[in-house]
């Protein structure tokens, strides 16, 4: 028998043996692509593993902080990625500069951007089962077959066949024609991606709120230092008066000691205020990505500006349209709805095609084109428990998403109303505190004049100084509360990033 006939016979026998081995091992014999390349995995119905990947992405989006529909916690927005190095000189920092730096470098922004890219990658992964999958392969296979080892004895045929080789260059194609579960999984991933984008946009509002609050704290610290410095100068005047009166024999030593204690208390308050400003400036630098050793001064004072009355219902209606976290939560509900449909569609048939085309032969110069094409319908038969379980899980997640959205709407409503109440209350506090400051300063001046005239001791001066310090503290605190309340209202309305200056400056 000629060599090529032996080669052909060996090839046929090997194929028969391979088929028989698959039957013996319990594998269902299916139509294989021509050639000796393994067939790529055919696309079929979405498995539970694929569904759980989308559910996990949803769950990550669900674990949100109250102020921001994001997986990132509020504390994350206090950090940043450092931009540049210290200049070694004093830098001027306006509120706009601080906000822009925060929008570039804040850790919350960066992590939300990564979450958005992650959701985009999951969306592409779920898209692939709906697209054609093409792979290519090239192989060379050298074999020598002993027919006697398989109990085959053919008269006139040498039981040792080969060695012979097979060269195969082949492309494989798989395509789902009908797969509802895979389609719904893609729709769910698409909504998750939209939710992640909206959440990233919402994070920018939260960054402005965080940076603005840190900047306002530093402004309050500066005001406190100025007030304490003035109080220290007043205490020094009172101390000098007490010393002069004691030296003149018109005042006891007690007045000097009392005035000295007041003066030293103001010195301690100034040290504490400077320390607090330094710490709050470090916190601001952390939020906007400034090197911690960079010295800077604040250039914006953000003084008191009255805010016009706002109707709570009108403001709430505006928030419903502009809050990105609410829109993100709505996308999560749509995603959960698609996952619910996907779980139900797992019991539907899946129609797919597979095929391959290649060049097969003993050598590249002695080969011929071969191909195969297969249409396949896959129908789940005995998977009732699995399908029912997936439906229940998806339904529960859908109900959770709807409940979270409804609660978040009410939270936004509460945030709007709380901010309006805080603005109104803080405005009244500012007026009262400002009046108290003027009265306390007048009382202090009167007490100093009486002591200087020898009408009374300096106990009234000490008490008036304490009242002045308390009035200044209350006034600074009221100003800070009023500005923060306005900034919080801008956040509640979803307008922090675009209109924060309007709210801080009055509207």
């Amino acid at each position: 028998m000629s060599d090529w006939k032996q080669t052909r016979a060996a090839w046929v026998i090997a194929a028969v043996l391979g088929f028989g081995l698959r039957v013996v091992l319990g594998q269902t014999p299916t139509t294989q692509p021509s050639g000796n390349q393994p067939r790529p995995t055919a696309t079929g119905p979405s498995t539970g593993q694929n569904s759980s990947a989308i559910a996990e992405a949803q769950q990550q989006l669900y674990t949100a902080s109250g102020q921001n529909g994001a997986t990132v916690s509020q504390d994350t927005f206090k950090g940043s990625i450092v931009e540049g190095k210290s200049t070694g000189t004093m830098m001027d920092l306006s509120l706009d500069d601080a906000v822009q730096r925060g929008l570039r470098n804040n850790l919350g922004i960066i992590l939300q951007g990564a979450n958005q890219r992650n959701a985009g990658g999951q969306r592409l992964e779920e898209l692939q089962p709906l697209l054609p999958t093409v792979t290519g392969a090239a192989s060379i296979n050298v074999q020598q077959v002993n027919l006697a080892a398989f109990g085959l004895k053919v008269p006139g045929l040498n039981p040792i066949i080969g060695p012979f080789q097979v060269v195969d260059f082949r492309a494989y194609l798989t395509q789902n024609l009908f797969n509802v579960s895979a389609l719904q999984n893609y729709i769910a991933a698409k909504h998750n991606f939209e939710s992640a984008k909206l959440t990233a946009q919402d994070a920018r509002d939260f960054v402005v709120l965080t940076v603005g609050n840190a900047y306002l704290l530093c402004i309050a610290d500066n005001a406190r230092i100025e007030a304490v410095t003035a109080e220290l100068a007043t205490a020094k005047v009172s101390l000098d008066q007490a010393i002069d009166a004691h030296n003149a024999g018109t005042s006891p030593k007690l007045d000097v000691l009392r005035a000295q204690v007041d003066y030293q208390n103001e010195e301690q308050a100034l040290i504490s205020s400077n320390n607090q400003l330094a710490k709050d400036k470090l916190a601001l630098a952390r939020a906007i990505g400034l090197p911690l050793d960079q010295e800077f001064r604040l250039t914006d004072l953000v003084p008191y500006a009255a805010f016009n009355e706002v109707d709570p219902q009108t403001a709430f209606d505006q928030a419903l349209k502009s809050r990105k976290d609410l829109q993100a939560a709505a996308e999560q509900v749509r995603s959960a709805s698609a996952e619910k449909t996907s779980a139900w569609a797992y019991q539907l048939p899946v129609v797919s095609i597979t095929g391959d085309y290649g060049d097969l032969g003993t050598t590249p110069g002695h080969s011929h084109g071969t191909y195969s094409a297969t249409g396949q319908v896959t129908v789940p038969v005995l998977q009732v428990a699995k399908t029912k379980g997936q439906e229940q899980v998806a339904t529960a997640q859908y109900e959770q998403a709807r409940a979270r959205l409804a609660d978040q709407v009410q939270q936004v409503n509460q945030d709007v109303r709380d901010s309006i109440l805080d603005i109104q209350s803080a405005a009244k506090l500012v007026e009262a505190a400002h009046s108290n400051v003027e009265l306390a300063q007048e009382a202090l001046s009167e007490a100093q004049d009486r002591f200087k005239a020898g009408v009374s001791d300096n106990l009234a001066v000490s008490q008036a100084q304490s009242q002045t310090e308390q009035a200044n503290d209350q006034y600074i605190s009221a100003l800070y509360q009023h500005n923060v309340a306005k900034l919080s209202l801008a956040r509640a309305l979803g307008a922090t990033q675009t209109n924060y200056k309007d709210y801080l400056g009055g509207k």
Side-chain angles (χ1 to χ4, degrees):
M1 185 179 296
S2 62
D3 291 341
W4 71 270
K5 289 183 178 181
Q6 289 184 351
T7 301
R8 183 179 178 183
W11 183 254
V12 173
I13 292 172
V16 172
L17 287 174
F19 181 86
L21 286 173
R22 288 196 299 274
V23 174
V24 171
L25 293 175
Q27 299 177 1
T28 304
T30 58
T31 304
Q32 295 291 332
S34 58
N36 60 345
Q37 286 299 310
R39 177 177 172 179
T41 303
T43 55
S46 296
T47 63
Q49 183 178 0
N50 292 334
S51 298
S52 64
I54 297 297
E56 181 180 359
Q58 288 178 328
Q59 195 63 28
Q60 289 176 350
L61 291 171
Y62 291 155
T63 54
S65 59
Q67 293 288 338
N68 182 267
T71 59
V72 181
S73 68
Q74 294 185 30
D75 288 340
T76 306
F77 289 89
K78 298 177 182 178
S80 63
I81 302 300
V82 177
E83 180 184 45
K85 297 182 179 180
S86 174
T87 61
T89 59
M90 182 66 68
M91 183 183 75
D92 291 336
L93 184 68
S94 67
L95 179 58
D96 279 343
D97 292 338
V99 168
Q100 294 306 316
R101 284 179 176 271
L103 292 175
R104 290 196 307 268
N105 307 318
N106 189 269
L107 184 59
I109 287 283
I110 295 172
L111 294 184
Q112 289 296 3
N115 286 345
Q116 178 181 339
R117 292 188 293 273
N118 178 65
Q122 292 179 345
R123 175 178 61 94
L124 293 177
E125 287 180 359
E126 293 298 332
L127 176 62
Q128 185 56 52
L130 303 177
L131 300 176
T133 300
V134 179
T135 58
S139 68
I140 178 170
N141 190 1
V142 180
Q143 297 186 26
Q144 185 170 352
V145 181
N146 185 359
L147 299 180
F150 298 97
L152 297 177
K153 296 181 180 180
V154 180
L157 178 64
N158 185 358
I160 304 300
I161 301 178
F164 58 90
Q165 70 177 17
V166 178
V167 176
D168 190 10
F169 300 92
R170 192 159 304 278
Y172 302 90
L173 168 69
T174 62
Q175 171 68 67
N176 270 328
L177 300 180
F178 180 80
N179 191 335
V180 177
S181 183
L183 176 61
Q184 292 299 320
N185 278 344
Y186 169 69
I187 293 175
K190 184 178 179 181
H191 286 302
N192 268 346
F193 177 59
E194 292 299 324
S195 177
K197 288 200 301 183
L198 291 167
T199 299
Q201 296 175 23
D202 181 71
R204 299 179 68 84
D205 265 8
F206 199 75
V207 166
V208 175
L209 177 63
T210 303
V211 174
N213 180 49
Y215 198 95
L216 291 174
L217 273 176
C218 292
I219 291 176
D221 292 338
N222 273 330
R224 174 64 181 148
I225 289 174
E226 292 176 1
V228 174
T229 301
E231 292 161 6
L232 181 63
T234 302
K236 183 64 169 63
V237 171
S238 298
L239 176 59
D240 292 341
Q241 288 179 348
I243 293 174
D244 292 341
H246 176 67
N247 291 337
T250 60
S251 176
K253 181 68 172 179
L254 178 61
D255 287 341
V256 176
L257 294 176
R258 186 184 294 123
Q260 190 169 5
V261 169
D262 290 339
Y263 179 75
Q264 290 178 349
N265 284 339
E266 295 300 335
E267 285 185 324
Q268 294 174 8
L270 183 59
I271 293 172
S272 177
S273 298
N274 280 311
N275 181 65
Q276 188 61 50
L277 173 61
K279 292 171 63 176
D280 286 342
K281 288 175 73 174
L282 287 176
L284 174 59
R286 281 273 290 128
I288 64 178
L290 269 182
L292 297 185
D293 57 347
Q294 173 66 58
E295 295 290 334
F296 64 90
R297 67 171 67 92
L298 307 182
T299 60
D300 291 338
L301 299 179
V302 192
Y304 173 76
F307 198 82
N308 295 337
E309 291 292 331
V310 178
D311 178 62
Q313 186 59 45
T314 302
F316 174 56
D317 293 339
Q318 177 184 343
L320 290 178
K321 298 176 182 179
S322 57
R323 283 285 291 257
K324 300 300 182 182
D325 54 344
L326 288 183
Q327 298 174 24
E331 289 292 337
Q332 293 169 19
V333 173
R334 298 185 186 100
S335 175
S337 177
E339 272 296 299
K340 180 181 175 183
T341 304
S342 173
W344 171 84
Y346 188 79
Q347 59 192 323
L348 299 179
V350 173
V351 180
S352 61
I353 60 171
T354 61
D356 69 271
Y357 181 84
D359 202 40
L360 181 69
T362 56
T363 64
H366 298 79
S367 60
H368 195 278
T370 60
Y371 65 89
S372 69
T374 304
Q376 179 176 309
V377 178
T378 304
V379 182
V381 179
L382 295 177
Q383 298 186 22
V384 178
K386 179 179 180 180
T387 303
K388 193 67 175 177
Q390 287 183 341
E391 283 189 69
Q392 291 180 357
V393 170
T395 300
Q397 292 177 347
Y398 174 66
E399 292 173 352
Q400 290 175 359
R402 292 182 60 190
R404 286 189 178 93
L405 175 59
D407 177 71
Q408 197 166 351
V409 169
Q410 291 305 308
Q411 182 63 53
V412 169
N413 194 356
Q414 180 181 344
D415 291 344
V416 170
R417 295 175 185 273
D418 284 349
S419 299
I420 293 175
L421 291 174
D422 288 341
I423 291 174
Q424 295 171 349
S425 174
K428 295 177 181 178
L429 287 175
V430 169
E431 294 177 2
H434 185 264
S435 176
N436 284 343
V437 168
E438 293 178 344
L439 293 174
Q441 289 176 345
E442 184 178 353
L444 176 59
S445 178
E446 180 70 18
Q448 286 177 328
D449 290 342
R450 288 173 61 83
F451 175 70
K452 185 177 181 180
V455 178
S456 67
D457 59 16
N458 73 340
L459 178 60
V461 175
S462 178
Q463 292 174 342
Q465 286 177 344
S466 177
Q467 291 172 352
T468 301
E469 180 180 355
Q470 183 178 4
N472 282 327
D473 287 344
Q474 291 175 347
Y475 180 63
I476 293 170
S477 176
L479 284 176
Y480 167 74
Q481 292 176 22
H482 187 257
N483 284 326
V484 168
K486 291 190 291 184
L487 196 61
S488 298
L489 177 60
R491 159 61 188 161
L493 297 178
T496 314
Q497 182 183 351
T498 55
N499 298 336
Y500 69 91
K501 294 177 66 177
D502 295 333
Y503 284 84
L504 289 178
K507 189 175 181 181

